[in-house]
Amino acid sequence: MRVARWSAHHPWRAIAGWIVFVIICLGGGLAIGGHAATSADFRVGEAGRAEALAAQGGLQQKPVERVLISAKGSGRLDEATADAVAQEVRGRMAGLAEVASVAAPIRSADGRAVRVDVTMKGPELEGKKHVAPLLAQTAEVRKAHPGLVVEESGSPSISEDVQGQRGDDLSRTELIALPVTLIVLLLVFRSVVMAVVPLLLSISSIMAGVGLSMVASHIFPDAGVGTNVILLIGMAVGVDYTLFYLKRDREERARSGGGLPRAAAVEIAAATSGRAVVVSGLAVAASSATLYLAGDVIFASLATGAIVVTLAAVVSSLTVLPALLATLGRRTPRRAARPRDGGLTSAVLRPVAGRPALTLGVAVAAMLVLAAPLSYMKLTDVGREAYSRDLPAMRAYDRVNAAFPELKAVNQVVVKAAPERRAQVLAALDALAHRVTADPLYAGRTRMRASADGRITLLEVPVAAYPSEKRAQTSLERLRADHIPATVGRLRGAEVAVTGDVARYADYPEHQKQRLPIILGALLLVTFAITARAFRSIVLGLAGVVLNLLSAAASLGVLTAVFQHRWAEGLLDFTSMGSIGSRVPLFLFVILFGLSMDYQVFTLSRIEEAVRRGVPARAAALDGIRGSAGVVTSAAIVMVTVFASFVPLHLIEMKQIGFSLAVAVLLDAFVIRLLILPALLLLLGRTAWWPSRRRAVPAPAPGALENVG
């Protein structure tokens, strides 16, 4: 740890260097700017292939806003008044530079509402950036006609509202996480100065991570979730790494009775906890990198955010942290830092040491019981119907769909063929339109569009059900399995694919299921390789993989039991989808495997130190776990606080991620590390370190470093 040693001897240079590093990262990111993902980046499965075909003919999805005009309360809408207001809306919207076209007014089947569809210029995902002028015009019409309900909804306005809500939620998360984290750190260190240090380093690491992610987004486009994961992971690992370092530094100074030079204490901390931090950081980064194998821009964005903020936290622990410890070392109380066995930890370990086999069996059985609901977990994409109804655009969305049920979802059949076969394609699509019109699963009239060159043709088939509903899913299955093969599927040489709201909802989870074995295999291999390499033990590598799988499975089981049912809706303020977001399990597996390495590496490092000093393997296991339990518990409380602060968020997927990670960390810190791991190590004895043949090495003595500093 030469870098940490240099930082301890040149603290002001190291502190200045870190500040410059953060400024360069954040300033460089802001100067270069981020690169947001485009619609093409989100395409997966058959739905993505169909979207690509449609885009070739200029038939891709456009940003559309719908203005709904209806009577207040249960009154009937006056047709003449509604028509006049609709024409006013058309005139106002047509004059906006952001608008490409305005459709003629459409009256609902019951005559109680009229809608005006407004198509915006530019790509679908860009609509939210330019929707404000449209909303302003709708507001003016609403103000001018107080006797009517005039409201607007559509992909751009919904995205704008969701983005604003997400920003507000993250602000509240910070207000919750930061004070609770500070309180925990104050209880741990009993020093304001030393409690503030982890927070400052975490925040600065997050700032550096945000800047680096903006630069990286030009290679891995930002899907809009990068900042979320940077905050989530940055606070967790930043505080953890600093906590490991600080505790070891204060233990060494307390153990020496105050006679150890401050730089020497930092050097010992760097050689022990510092090494564990580096290994843990690399494990989190390597585990997160497996998300790139998902072939999905959202997971790539999550991976990038996790990697850059973790590496920034590691860099801070090797540079500015040793410098701060060397500078502040004499200004903090030593009495509070004196190592203690911990009465609670000793009380827990006593029965474990007495009956390790029984403890292992009972603890593993309990974890398997928690994991049992995993057997009926249902994965689905998170559709718009899961968004909060606190959003004005979502309330309008509900009323638009109630008045015009055929707008709830649409299947889009895209056909690509040579221009000279256009007549055959049109005839086949016309036959398809007749079949679906006669099928009660579908609703409303079909609409056919074709590219200017005649190569691409698209048929829209509406369904009066939300994409998540059984009727919509059945309509897609029947379309792909029956109606298309009987019509356009018979055209030789033609390329046919189905996209639309329903196909996107169905194909995305299926895509994740196909990639999950690949990612999980890579994740297991990475976890095994890092643990085995760090401790030169194949047994510990295998044990790490099994324990991580156990904690991940148990937390997913608890997640399924809570969020896939309705009994906890009032407690956690959510509306159950009857399923789990398709991205949650994969994200949980990857991030948990990485974060679990924090505790695993730190705990095993303390045990390894005892083994190297010649302590018998079983005694070393108990000593190492007892010595690391305090800091692991403190770190777990901080991490659980950060993750749990995401549970109050409005977005159901973020709720599920925060909840599952909080549960996973609790189980990992208190069941895996205090019960299962010590019981396993006691049963394995020296075998746990196979094939390593470590010789006893004397512990670093203060006298050996008397010339340092």
Side-chain angles (χ1 to χ4, degrees), residues 16-339:
W18 173 250
I19 294 174
V20 171
F21 173 76
V22 174
I23 292 174
I24 290 175
C25 290
L26 186 58
L30 292 173
I32 296 174
H35 174 63
T38 64
S39 297
D41 294 317
F42 288 90
R43 294 169 184 162
V44 297
E46 181 182 334
R49 183 163 55 85
E51 289 170 20
L53 292 176
Q56 292 177 20
L59 303 177
Q60 66 271 28
Q61 192 74 25
K62 300 288 186 181
V64 176
E65 286 289 288
R66 293 188 168 97
V67 179
L68 184 70
I69 304 164
S70 58
K72 285 190 173 181
S74 58
R76 185 167 181 83
L77 182 67
D78 181 77
E79 293 185 8
T81 302
D83 288 341
V85 174
Q87 292 302 327
E88 181 181 346
V89 169
R90 292 191 70 195
R92 285 175 174 272
M93 295 298 184
L96 296 176
E98 295 82 5
V99 172
S101 64
V102 183
I106 301 175
R107 189 174 301 278
S108 64
D110 60 7
R112 300 185 61 180
V114 173
R115 84 170 197 265
V116 178
D117 292 348
V118 183
T119 302
M120 298 178 64
K121 296 177 181 178
E124 181 183 11
L125 296 182
E126 294 292 318
K128 64 182 178 183
K129 298 180 182 179
H130 312 292
V131 74
L134 282 74
L135 292 170
Q137 292 300 324
T138 300
E140 288 295 326
V141 175
R142 181 167 53 247
K143 182 178 178 182
H145 302 278
L148 296 174
V149 177
V150 182
E151 51 196 341
E152 180 181 335
S153 182
S155 296
S157 56
I158 291 174
S159 297
E160 175 70 10
D161 279 1
V162 169
Q163 183 173 308
Q165 187 181 65
R166 183 189 292 122
D168 293 341
D169 281 349
L170 289 177
S171 297
R172 283 194 293 271
T173 294
E174 294 171 1
L175 292 177
I176 296 172
L178 291 177
V180 175
T181 299
L182 182 59
I183 292 172
V184 173
L185 294 173
L186 284 171
L187 293 175
V188 172
F189 294 110
R190 303 181 189 178
S191 164
V192 175
V193 174
M194 300 306 279
V196 169
V197 167
L199 281 180
L200 290 178
L201 293 188
S202 296
I203 293 171
S204 62
S205 296
I206 290 171
M207 294 170 63
V210 168
L212 291 172
S213 69
M214 295 176 75
V215 177
S217 69
H218 291 272
I219 301 175
F220 305 104
D222 181 19
V225 295
T227 302
N228 290 12
V229 76
I230 287 174
L231 177 61
L232 188 77
I233 303 301
M235 280 296 298
V237 301
V239 171
D240 271 9
Y241 297 165
T242 310
L243 193 60
F244 294 164
Y245 229 116
L246 287 172
K247 288 287 287 185
R248 188 54 180 262
D249 170 76
R250 298 191 74 187
E251 285 179 6
E252 294 301 331
R253 290 192 296 113
R255 188 176 288 114
S256 69
L260 186 65
R262 50 186 177 174
V266 173
E267 188 172 341
I268 295 176
T272 53
S273 294
R275 172 179 174 271
V277 165
V278 173
V279 174
S280 297
L282 292 177
V284 174
S287 298
S288 300
T290 61
L291 286 174
Y292 289 122
L293 298 175
D296 172 24
V297 67
I298 295 178
F299 279 116
S301 187
L302 292 171
T304 301
I307 290 171
V308 295
V309 76
T310 300
L311 294 181
V314 171
V315 171
S316 74
S317 71
L318 294 179
T319 55
V320 67
L321 181 55
L324 287 173
L325 290 178
T327 303
L328 301 174
R330 292 178 178 175
R331 302 180 186 178
T332 55
R334 295 187 180 93
R335 182 178 301 173
R338 188 169 300 280

Side-chain angles (χ1 to χ4, degrees), residues 173 563 572-573 642-651 654-656 658-660 662:
T173 294
F563 280 89
L572 298 179
D573 189 24
V642 173
F643 293 149
S645 66
F646 277 68
V647 174
L649 300 188
H650 288 87
L651 295 179
M654 292 307 299
K655 275 180 175 287
Q656 293 179 354
F659 177 84
S660 57

Side-chain angles (χ1 to χ4, degrees), residues 629-646:
V631 67
V632 168
T633 301
S634 301
I637 292 174
V638 171
M639 199 176 286
V640 168
T641 299
V642 173
F643 293 149
S645 66
F646 277 68

Side-chain angles (χ1 to χ4, degrees), residues 259-261 264 701-709:
L260 186 65
L705 300 171
E706 59 185 359
N707 295 324
V708 178

Side-chain angles (χ1 to χ4, degrees), residues 516-534:
L516 183 59
I518 300 173
I519 298 173
L520 190 56
L523 185 60
L524 297 178
L525 182 61
V526 167
T527 303
F528 169 77
I530 291 177
T531 306
R533 176 66 182 84

